[in-house]
């Protein structure tokens, strides 16, 4: 296990530092995605640099507000899906010696839409769960369990789509199988992600208190932290291939 982790982090750190400039360029859409939700007139809030929806405020919205919010979320999810695909393509291009430019051109219709469908289904399931459990006494317990279960089973869908060229159902099956085969990797990734995002948020609000600190958190997370986590996730997934070791 120690040798496996050492290999994974070795690949991740080396690749991240070697391709940092390209990774930053491809990660700029993460900022646009978050700003879409932050600027739209919707019951969203920022936490550790992410935007989240307040379900309890939905009844106060007009039909126009709901439509604009839905459009912003759909567009934001698609941008996120495409950005995750592009970062994964950089990893795959390194391993397969293919042209990044050619891969990115075909990725939008080939990979991003598949990941977009999966992420949208996940968000809809979470949203429906929130509505069904609204004001239920066990909502604080049941909803997090549902969210954790979906996040765990769909953890590897992006690399499953891009690395293995899986269709939507196959990507879900491969993601669930990989997560269940080695759950410690998913837990480790989650802990690293929470720690990294929390540290960035704490330092940002110390440097720039208030709203400016929030946007500094968004900037650093989008350009540096999230791309690293995506690369780490992909390297974890690729450990199932003997030739990738």
């Amino acid at each position: 296990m120690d040798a496996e982790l050492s290999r994974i982090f070795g690949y991740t750190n080396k690749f991240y530092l070697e391709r940092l400039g390209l990774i930053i360029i491809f990660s700029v859409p993460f900022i646009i995605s978050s700003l879409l939700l932050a600027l739209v007139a919707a019951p969203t809030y920022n936490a550790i640099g992410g935007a989240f929806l307040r379900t309890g405020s939905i009844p106060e919205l007009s039909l126009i507000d709901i439509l604009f919010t839905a459009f912003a979320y759909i567009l934001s999810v698609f941008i996120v899906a495409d950005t995750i695909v592009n970062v994964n393509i950089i990893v795959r291009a390194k391993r397969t010696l293919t042209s990044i430019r050619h891969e990115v051109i075909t990725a939008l219709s080939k990979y991003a839409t598949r990941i977009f469908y999966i992420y949208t289904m996940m968000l809809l399931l979470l949203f429906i769960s929130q509505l069904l459990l609204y004001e239920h006494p066990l909502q604080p317990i049941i909803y997090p369990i549902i969210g954790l279960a979906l996040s765990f089973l769909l953890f590897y869908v992006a690399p499953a789509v891009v690395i293995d060229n899986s269709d939507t159902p196959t990507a879900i099956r491969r993601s669930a199988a990989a997560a269940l085969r080695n759950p410690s990797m998913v837990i480790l990734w989650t802990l690293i992600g929470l720690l990294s995002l929390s540290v960035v948020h704490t330092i940002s609000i110390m440097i720039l208190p208030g709203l400016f600190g929030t946007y500094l958190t968004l900037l650093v997370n989008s350009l540096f932290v999230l791309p690293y986590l995506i690369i780490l996730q992909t390297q974890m997934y690729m450990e199932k291939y003997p030739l990738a070791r």
Side-chain angles (χ1 to χ4, degrees), residues 83-100:
T83 308
I84 291 174
V85 166
N86 289 337
V87 174
N88 272 277
I89 282 175
I90 300 175
V91 178
R92 193 178 77 171
K94 171 72 173 179
R95 292 295 184 92
T96 60
L97 302 178
T98 54
S99 169
I100 293 178

Side-chain angles (χ1 to χ4, degrees), residues 86-175:
N86 289 337
V87 174
N88 272 277
I89 282 175
I90 300 175
V91 178
R92 193 178 77 171
K94 171 72 173 179
R95 292 295 184 92
T96 60
L97 302 178
T98 54
S99 169
I100 293 178
R101 180 180 297 179
H102 173 73
E103 291 283 341
V104 168
I105 292 173
T106 60
L108 189 62
S109 59
K110 191 175 182 181
Y111 303 128
T113 52
R114 298 177 195 174
I115 297 176
F116 170 73
Y117 293 149
I118 296 171
Y119 285 173
T120 301
M121 286 188 294
M122 178 181 174
L123 287 174
L124 285 175
L125 286 173
L126 291 174
F127 180 66
I128 292 170
S129 300
Q130 279 186 309
L131 292 180
L132 292 177
L133 294 169
Y134 184 61
E135 293 187 342
H136 192 284
L138 295 179
Q139 194 268 353
I141 299 175
I142 299 176
Y143 178 73
I145 292 175
I146 295 174
L148 286 173
L150 285 174
S151 300
F152 178 80
L153 295 175
L154 300 178
F155 180 74
Y156 288 115
V157 288
V161 168
V162 180
I163 304 300
D164 288 337
N165 193 21
S166 305
D167 57 28
T168 300
T170 304
I172 294 173
R173 288 197 301 270
R174 286 177 171 170
S175 173

